[in-house]
Amino acid sequence: MQKSFTLRTDQREALYDITDDVRKVVADSGVRTGIVTVYAQGATAAIMIQENWDDSVQRDVVHLLAQLIPKGVWEHDRQDGNGDAHLKAGLVGPSEAIPIIDGELGLSRWQNVFFCEFDGPRDNRPVVVTVVEA
Amino acid sequence: MQKSFTLRTDQREALYDITDDVRKVVADSGVRTGIVTVYAQGATAAIMIQENWDDSVQRDVVHLLAQLIPKGVWEHDRQDGNGDAHLKAGLVGPSEAIPIIDGELGLSRWQNVFFCEFDGPRDNRPVVVTVVEA
Amino acid sequence: MQKSFTLRTDQREALYDITDDVRKVVADSGVRTGIVTVYAQGATAAIMIQENWDDSVQRDVVHLLAQLIPKGVWEHDRQDGNGDAHLKAGLVGPSEAIPIIDGELGLSRWQNVFFCEFDGPRDNRPVVVTVVEA
């Protein structure tokens, strides 16, 4: 089973919690044991599993990546000025695979699934969720 | 087929070789061609494929991440003082997908599977191994 | 379905576009809905999804990683002098999982699949492509 949805992002760089969207696809699939892959279609976006106890870690992710990968110093910036966004997306990666255990998304208590926007805001960020039975 | 096991970690930050545990699940599954996903349930842990010729690379991973992501300077540290652990876990990622080839774990000669502890020691770190036939 | 191929690399560090190789395996599999995993067998290599509008981002990836992970300062360098290559490979990761949508590789317009060489040149870098139906 596979479902796509789109996300609207309202900042240049931010993390958006999509755990409930992924959980719904898993529930709809009826699969009891397997994996679900979450994929961000976009070369300046990514998927990260991260804590969601409060918003602080999500902002820390943005700040960490801004320190590691500064803006405006890349060869690609001569093309369209978003070299840092591509590098952040490539390093974090567009895909995560999460186990499905007893019909539920197999995250731990504090793990949530986040869409990482690195070159927003954008109106239509597609995410593809695929469920595979084990 | 899916199996979980837990790991005891004895340091705040270290890599633990779990290749044999993963290999055993693959053997027990009887699957000849497919993929196996390895997932760390824990927002301050991760899975990394890395060399195991000696222990040096494993220590180098800990040192590299300590340089890139220092302790005590994150917004989340006001909550529970482990902001660096969450950032390390998010960047490395909790999941890897390895091919199963002719019934064997498809690692290369020097690749092993490591559990990365970033906020230990912990008594019970759960890892979920899922085998999917191709 | 699973297919392996090998790659010849001609530089110590560079990204090589393998999108067409992956696309061919997906087409040959006949799978309409599923995932395809791409795996680099080699502890000094990795797989990254990245933009391919021009070559600039690929060179930026090499330069970024050289800044974050310098050569010659790691414990493993006393063994065989390629500590940086192992760390780059571990951080980027050897595996990506991409959705198959309507029989096609589900990349976005600007996403391509790259083999990352961090310790070349090498004559035979194996890549394993596995297709799983959803």
Side-chain angles (χ1 to χ4, degrees):
Chain A
M1 185 190 188
Q2 190 174 70
K3 281 197 183 169
S4 295
F5 62 91
T6 61
L7 204 73
R8 195 182 160 278
T9 63
D10 55 4
Q11 297 179 59
R12 185 181 193 262
E13 295 168 70
L15 273 61
Y16 297 85
D17 192 334
I18 59 171
T19 311
D20 286 345
D21 303 276
V22 178
R23 194 167 272 137
K24 192 179 177 330
V25 178
V26 170
D28 289 352
S29 75
V31 168
R32 303 292 303 169
T33 305
I35 57 169
V36 56
T37 67
V38 184
Y39 188 86
Q41 284 183 318
T44 53
I47 301 294
M48 183 184 285
I49 310 285
Q50 193 47 275
E51 195 189 57
N52 191 24
W53 191 77
D54 62 11
D55 294 342
S56 63
V57 183
Q58 301 158 48
R59 283 190 296 266
D60 284 337
V61 169
V62 171
H63 295 147
L64 168 66
L65 291 170
Q67 288 171 22
L68 296 180
I69 307 173
K71 285 183 70 173
V73 299
W74 307 104
E75 189 182 333
H76 184 72
D77 290 326
R78 290 176 227 156
Q79 310 295 334
D80 46 5
N82 63 355
D84 68 304
H86 287 297
L87 293 169
K88 291 166 184 173
L91 199 61
V92 175
S95 163
E96 290 291 340
I98 306 157
I100 300 171
I101 307 172
D102 296 330
E104 306 275 350
L105 193 57
L107 300 169
S108 70
R109 176 74 186 81
W110 302 113
Q111 286 177 321
N112 278 33
V113 186
F114 289 91
F115 180 91
C116 305
E117 173 64 82
F118 296 126
D119 194 27
R122 302 278 184 115
D123 285 338
N124 279 290
R125 281 295 206 183
V127 176
V128 185
V129 182
T130 308
V131 174
V132 176
E133 200 158 11
Chain B
M1 185 189 188
Q2 189 174 69
K3 281 199 183 167
S4 296
F5 61 90
T6 60
L7 205 71
R8 195 182 159 279
T9 63
D10 55 4
Q11 298 179 60
R12 185 182 191 261
E13 295 168 69
L15 273 62
Y16 297 86
D17 192 334
I18 58 171
T19 311
D20 286 344
D21 303 276
V22 178
R23 194 167 273 137
K24 190 178 177 333
V25 178
V26 170
D28 290 351
S29 76
V31 167
R32 302 293 303 169
T33 305
I35 57 169
V36 56
T37 66
V38 184
Y39 188 84
Q41 285 184 316
T44 53
I47 301 295
M48 183 184 284
I49 309 286
Q50 193 49 273
E51 194 189 58
N52 190 25
W53 192 76
D54 61 11
D55 294 343
S56 63
V57 184
Q58 301 159 48
R59 282 190 296 267
D60 284 337
V61 169
V62 171
H63 294 149
L64 168 66
L65 291 171
Q67 287 171 21
L68 296 179
I69 308 175
K71 285 184 71 172
V73 301
W74 308 103
E75 189 183 332
H76 184 72
D77 289 326
R78 290 177 229 156
Q79 310 294 335
D80 47 3
N82 65 354
D84 67 304
H86 287 298
L87 293 169
K88 292 166 183 172
L91 199 62
V92 175
S95 164
E96 290 291 339
I98 306 156
I100 300 171
I101 307 171
D102 296 330
E104 305 277 348
L105 193 57
L107 300 169
S108 71
R109 177 72 187 84
W110 303 112
Q111 287 178 320
N112 278 34
V113 187
F114 290 92
F115 180 92
C116 306
E117 174 63 82
F118 296 127
D119 194 27
R122 303 276 184 115
D123 284 337
N124 278 288
R125 282 294 207 182
V127 176
V128 185
V129 182
T130 308
V131 174
V132 176
E133 200 158 10
Chain C
M1 185 191 189
Q2 189 174 69
K3 281 199 182 168
S4 295
F5 62 90
T6 61
L7 205 72
R8 196 183 157 277
T9 63
D10 55 5
Q11 298 179 60
R12 184 180 193 261
E13 295 167 70
L15 272 63
Y16 297 85
D17 193 335
I18 57 170
T19 312
D20 286 344
D21 303 276
V22 178
R23 193 168 273 135
K24 191 178 177 330
V25 178
V26 170
D28 290 350
S29 75
V31 167
R32 303 291 302 168
T33 306
I35 57 170
V36 56
T37 66
V38 184
Y39 188 85
Q41 284 183 317
T44 52
I47 300 295
M48 183 184 283
I49 310 285
Q50 193 49 275
E51 194 189 60
N52 191 26
W53 190 75
D54 62 11
D55 294 343
S56 63
V57 183
Q58 301 158 48
R59 284 190 295 267
D60 284 337
V61 168
V62 171
H63 295 147
L64 168 66
L65 291 171
Q67 288 171 23
L68 297 180
I69 307 174
K71 285 183 71 172
V73 299
W74 307 104
E75 190 183 330
H76 185 72
D77 289 326
R78 290 177 229 155
Q79 309 295 333
D80 47 3
N82 65 354
D84 68 303
H86 287 297
L87 293 169
K88 290 166 183 173
L91 199 62
V92 175
S95 163
E96 290 290 339
I98 306 157
I100 301 171
I101 307 171
D102 296 330
E104 305 277 348
L105 194 57
L107 300 169
S108 71
R109 177 72 186 82
W110 303 112
Q111 286 177 321
N112 278 32
V113 186
F114 290 91
F115 180 92
C116 304
E117 174 64 82
F118 296 126
D119 194 27
R122 302 276 185 115
D123 284 338
N124 278 290
R125 282 295 207 180
V127 176
V128 186
V129 182
T130 307
V131 174
V132 176
E133 200 158 12

